[in-house]
Each structure stands twice: as C-alpha cells, then as structure tokens.
Amino acid sequence: MTRTAAIIGGGVIGGGWAARFLLNGWDVRVYDPDPEAERKISEVMGNARHALPMLYDYALPAEGRLSFHETLAEAVDGAEWIQESVPERLEVKHKVYQSLQDHCSPDAVIGSSTSGFKPSELQQGAVRPRQILVTHPFNPVYLLPLIEVVPSDKNTAEEIEKTKEILTSLGLYPLQVRKEIDAHIADRFLEAVWREALWLVKDGIATTEEIDNAIRYGFGIRWAQMGLFETYRVAGGEAGMKHFMAQFGPALKWPWTKLMDVPEFTDELVDLIAGQSDDQSGHLSIRALERKRDNNLIAMMRALKQQGNAAGRLIKTHQKTLRPALTDANPIVSMRRTVPVDWTDVNGHMNEGRYGQLFSDAAEEIMAHVGADDDYIAGGLSYFTVETTVKYLMETHAGEAIEVHTRITQGEGKKLRCFHEMKRASDGELLATCDQFMLHVSLETRRTCEPADHVRQKVEALAALHKES
C-alpha cells in the first residue's frame, strides 16, 4: 500500500522533502499558496530525479504520485507524515499547525523544517502538542542524509521512534538532539563559521572565493568523512585526543576568533560580499550551481560508499532495502539502476571499464539467484569469470536509467555462461552486450569443482528455459 506525505510550503526545502519522499515511492501532496510553487517544485524534482538514483547500485522504487492542492485540508487528508516548511515566523507556524490539526490524522507525524525554533515553542497552543516535533534537514534534502530530530517532553518515546523509523526508511540519518536548544546542533556550527567569515571579508583579509577555497580544499574534505572530534583525534597522533587537547588547548585563549563579536550588517558590507560572490560564481545560474553541487556530492558520497564510511555506510544500508528479488524469466532482468556521474569519462560517456563493472554486478545477482550467494561463497565455493566479450553499441550518459537482461546460455557441470544485454530503460534501446563465461571453483584449492546440487539444478533449469530463445 502506497504511503502518503503532505508537504506544507513548497520552497527549496519543501521541494527537497517532496523529492525525497516521492523518489522513495511515497505519494506526495503539496500545499503552498504561492502561484509559482508547482513550477519551483518541478525544477527541484528535475534535479532530484537526476541525482538521487545515482547514489545507489539498484533502482529506486517506482516513483509516487505528486499532486498540488488548493487547501491545506485536502493536502493533509490521510497523510502519514506532514512536513512543515513555511517561513521562520512563529505566529505563522502556529496558525498552520492549528489548521492542519483540525484535518489531519491524530497519528500523523508533524515535522518542522525549522532551523532555529525549539519544539516546545512550536507546540505552544497546539491541540495535540505530542504530534509536533522538529525534523530539521539540510539542503539538498534529496541528497544530504542528516535530519536533526528534536523532541520536547511532550513527545512520547513511541512517536519519536516512529519518526526515526520513517526517516531511516527514506535513506536519511535521524540525529536525535538530547536537549532543546536554539538552532539545534549543526546550524550552531554553521553560524560560528559564518560570523568569522563575515569578519574576514569585512577586514579585507580574504574574499568570499578565498574563504570557500580554504574550506573545500582543506578541512571541509576531512569533515565530510570524519567529522570534527575524530579529525582532531588523528591530529593528536599516537598519543590521541588527550595529547591534541594539551597541545592546542592554550590556543583557546588566543585571539583566533571573533566568535561572538558580530560585524554590523551595513549596506557597504552587504554590497562587498554580494559583489565578491557575483565575481566568484555569477556566471552560473542557480540551477547550474545546484547541478554542480549535486554531481560533486554524488561522487564524494559514492566514494564513501565504496569504503563503507560516514554517509557512504548509510547509503549501503539503505541500498540493501532496494535490492530486488529476481524471478525466473526469459530473460532475467538482473539489474536496474542509474548511471552515476563517477562512471563517465571526459566526454561525459560511461567509460569502458564501467560496462565491465555493470555486467559483473549483473552476474553477481544471477549467482545469488541460483544459490551461489554470500553464504555459499563464505562456505568456500563460487563462480569465477574466465572470459568475457563486450560489445559497445551505443553511448551511455550519466543519469540514464538502464537495465541488464540476462540469459544463461550454458549450464552443464562446472560451466556457467551468461549473455547480458544492457538496455536503456526508457525506450529499450540496446546499448551493449556481454558474453560471460564462468567456471565453478573451490576457493580453498583455487581449482574447478562441481557445484552443490541445488546450484547445479537451478542453473540447468534456467539454461533449459533460456534455450527457448
């Protein structure tokens, strides 16, 4: 049964939430009185459809249904999750909660995207305060996994757990904040860096581009995969965190930051920063900058996925829920996925090595289907590829949805031969083929041997089925 989410407020953040739910198979209802809301969300959806599927090695669920509603009551009717992303004015949020609680299910989660308000402030005057809590995302919501979950003492343990379970099912990381505090956790870090950056620009020490370069070429990369404290633990060397603290602790008394001393936001400072920012990236449209950002995030997060660390570990865990169960068919659809940006060459085409990767992945799915799965391999038996012939028929580009159709053309004894056809999912265009010959081996002796009976029987049955074509 399709689940339903309601998005109240269709700006950048609301649009990102809509995309995250929609691309994970939920129906999404949007309410936003802005006459441009449908256009804006459609543009965000375009970027999300390009980006999110490239994180995974399997296809995402069938996309849910997106609809726009003229009344808040229509939008929230039957919704299991309601995400409020209206402007950061408490009186506006209170008015929205009053209206939607008149019409929504008492069991629905009402999450707020607020960057700064505490949940107890949001819950003031609510009919059911237990239903409302902070679920603060980071832009782009359809790619970045962190959601700060901030409850108050009005929220029950069961409701908090339900909230976290739904977020996790969407591939997100719910970080429960232990105590209410203005701006939660992450935005307090961002505000500290922002204040310092304003002073550096105002005092003529650095331009906006130079500050961005200091982050992206230096500590920003470290933070992306290791965070703050683990980074400093490494900086302490073999002696660890205590040594780091002893070595750099005195710096806390040095004039290295103007953390709470904020420069006045004069017209001159605003013009200075805006001008430098225009010089830095004004030649690119906002949509082009978003696409650049998304492609970079995809490449970095996929690299982390390959290593099984940080955000990459989260993607791997969510990806397991996307792995399809293969069916005996002629042919077997052994792989559905989207071509990621890190699989392309300087021409923007999928490079030759990645065709081999795709067909190898398809073969592993076939192996698992016939019984030569992870447990079988752990028991010391597997199939090894000894010969492949790949034919490249058409160009393939990043963001294209593709399928691999596989037939077992030989399956006697130790032999397993697969013929793979790579097709564009949108129109069935044949893009490449691979004839792959494998032999069954003992991992202990590294020599060929007969497969277990259940594997041999399954391979023989599929080979007989596929010979019909």
Side-chain angles (χ1 to χ4, degrees), residues 181-449:
I181 188 172
D182 292 325
H184 325 314
I185 296 175
D187 273 356
R188 295 179 75 92
F189 291 133
L190 292 176
E191 179 69 12
V193 175
W194 171 243
R195 290 169 187 255
E196 194 63 33
L198 292 178
W199 276 115
L200 291 172
V201 173
K202 181 179 183 298
D203 292 344
I205 294 167
T207 65
T208 57
E209 184 172 12
E210 289 163 352
I211 291 170
D212 285 349
N213 287 343
I215 295 170
R216 61 185 166 211
Y217 298 143
F219 64 85
I221 299 174
R222 295 188 309 196
W223 282 7
Q225 49 85 40
M226 199 168 270
L228 178 65
F229 284 99
E230 199 167 46
T231 294
Y232 282 160
R233 180 179 180 85
V234 173
E238 294 181 0
M241 194 65 172
K242 281 190 175 181
H243 175 68
F244 174 82
M245 295 292 289
Q247 185 175 7
F248 292 97
L252 296 174
K253 297 181 180 180
W254 299 344
W256 280 12
T257 178
K258 297 182 177 181
L259 189 57
M260 295 308 297
D261 186 11
V262 186
E264 184 182 354
F265 246 52
T266 63
D267 291 342
E268 291 76 15
L269 178 58
V270 171
D271 289 343
L272 176 64
I273 292 173
Q276 290 183 3
S277 180
D278 288 344
D279 291 341
Q280 177 182 349
S281 50
H283 61 289
L284 296 173
S285 70
I286 292 300
R287 297 296 167 241
L289 283 171
E290 288 175 343
R291 182 61 63 92
K292 177 182 177 181
R293 173 205 64 193
D294 290 355
N295 286 345
N296 288 338
L297 287 172
I298 292 161
M300 292 175 67
M301 292 166 74
R302 283 185 56 79
L304 290 169
K305 177 159 73 82
Q306 193 274 332
Q307 294 296 313
N309 287 323
R313 181 169 63 248
L314 194 69
I315 296 168
K316 289 187 76 169
T317 300
H318 186 225
Q319 181 173 279
K320 290 179 181 178
T321 69
L322 303 174
R323 186 176 189 176
L326 303 190
T327 58
D328 293 351
N330 187 14
I332 296 172
V333 180
S334 55
M335 181 64 61
R336 286 190 177 97
R337 65 167 306 158
T338 295
V339 178
V341 291
D342 61 331
W343 277 23
T344 56
D345 56 24
V346 293
N347 297 313
H349 309 153
M350 182 167 153
N351 62 48
E352 292 88 343
R354 293 303 186 177
Y355 286 85
Q357 175 73 57
L358 178 70
F359 293 128
S360 175
D361 291 346
E364 288 188 5
E365 297 297 318
I366 293 294
M367 286 171 55
H369 183 56
V370 302
D373 54 14
D374 292 343
D375 291 339
Y376 188 81
I377 294 169
L381 300 173
S382 186
Y383 283 98
F384 278 13
T385 300
V386 295
E387 181 181 294
T388 59
T389 302
V390 178
K391 293 183 179 180
Y392 310 99
L393 306 177
M394 295 284 289
E395 295 174 354
T396 311
H397 301 88
E400 284 192 309
I402 54 174
E403 297 180 348
V404 178
H405 295 189
T406 302
R407 293 181 175 87
I408 294 178
T409 57
Q410 187 175 4
E412 304 85 20
K414 308 171 186 177
K415 300 175 182 178
L416 174 59
R417 185 182 291 274
C418 294
F419 183 72
H420 307 287
E421 293 181 313
M422 171 185 167
K423 297 186 176 184
R424 187 182 295 117
S426 60
D427 58 9
E429 182 79 37
L430 186 61
L431 304 172
T433 64
C434 175
D435 184 27
Q436 181 181 21
F437 181 54
M438 294 178 277
L439 290 173
H440 191 270
V441 300
S442 163
L443 299 178
E444 181 180 356
T445 65
R446 298 289 167 169
R447 295 183 179 277
T448 60
C449 66

Side-chain angles (χ1 to χ4, degrees), residues 45-309:
M45 283 302 310
N47 280 343
R49 291 187 181 105
H50 164 84
L52 184 61
M54 289 195 274
L55 287 182
Y56 299 101
D57 294 340
Y58 304 109
L60 290 169
E63 188 174 307
R65 187 172 68 91
L66 177 64
S67 57
F68 295 85
H69 298 267
E70 294 185 359
T71 68
L72 193 147
E74 288 179 0
V76 302
D77 182 34
E80 181 179 351
W81 184 287
I82 302 166
Q83 187 66 29
E84 170 269 304
S85 302
V86 303
E88 290 284 82
R89 298 203 304 274
L90 198 55
E91 69 277 9
V92 173
K93 293 181 184 291
H94 285 163
K95 185 177 180 181
V96 167
Y97 298 147
Q98 180 181 353
S99 180
L100 68 84
Q101 284 194 318
D102 286 342
H103 300 95
C104 75
S105 166
D107 297 324
V109 174
I110 301 176
S112 174
S113 299
T114 181
S115 299
F117 290 123
K118 298 189 289 288
S120 57
E121 295 173 317
L122 301 175
Q123 295 166 345
Q124 292 169 2
V127 175
R128 294 182 295 275
R130 60 166 182 78
Q131 198 173 13
I132 302 167
L133 74 171
V134 171
T135 50
H136 173 239
F138 290 81
N139 188 36
V141 188
Y142 54 78
L143 279 183
L144 293 184
L146 178 62
I147 306 294
E148 292 178 312
V149 176
V150 193
S152 77
D153 57 9
K154 297 286 198 306
N155 302 106
T156 68
E158 292 77 16
E159 287 163 337
I160 296 168
E161 194 58 32
K162 175 184 177 182
T163 298
K164 292 162 68 174
E165 286 176 358
I166 291 175
L167 292 170
T168 300
S169 74
L170 300 171
L172 295 164
Y173 178 74
L175 175 62
Q176 185 174 339
V177 180
R178 295 172 181 267
K179 295 181 180 180
E180 288 187 274
I181 188 172
D182 292 325
H184 325 314
I185 296 175
D187 273 356
R188 295 179 75 92
F189 291 133
L190 292 176
E191 179 69 12
V193 175
W194 171 243
R195 290 169 187 255
E196 194 63 33
L198 292 178
W199 276 115
L200 291 172
V201 173
K202 181 179 183 298
D203 292 344
I205 294 167
T207 65
T208 57
E209 184 172 12
E210 289 163 352
I211 291 170
D212 285 349
N213 287 343
I215 295 170
R216 61 185 166 211
Y217 298 143
F219 64 85
I221 299 174
R222 295 188 309 196
W223 282 7
Q225 49 85 40
M226 199 168 270
L228 178 65
F229 284 99
E230 199 167 46
T231 294
Y232 282 160
R233 180 179 180 85
V234 173
E238 294 181 0
M241 194 65 172
K242 281 190 175 181
H243 175 68
F244 174 82
M245 295 292 289
Q247 185 175 7
F248 292 97
L252 296 174
K253 297 181 180 180
W254 299 344
W256 280 12
T257 178
K258 297 182 177 181
L259 189 57
M260 295 308 297
D261 186 11
V262 186
E264 184 182 354
F265 246 52
T266 63
D267 291 342
E268 291 76 15
L269 178 58
V270 171
D271 289 343
L272 176 64
I273 292 173
Q276 290 183 3
S277 180
D278 288 344
D279 291 341
Q280 177 182 349
S281 50
H283 61 289
L284 296 173
S285 70
I286 292 300
R287 297 296 167 241
L289 283 171
E290 288 175 343
R291 182 61 63 92
K292 177 182 177 181
R293 173 205 64 193
D294 290 355
N295 286 345
N296 288 338
L297 287 172
I298 292 161
M300 292 175 67
M301 292 166 74
R302 283 185 56 79
L304 290 169
K305 177 159 73 82
Q306 193 274 332
Q307 294 296 313
N309 287 323

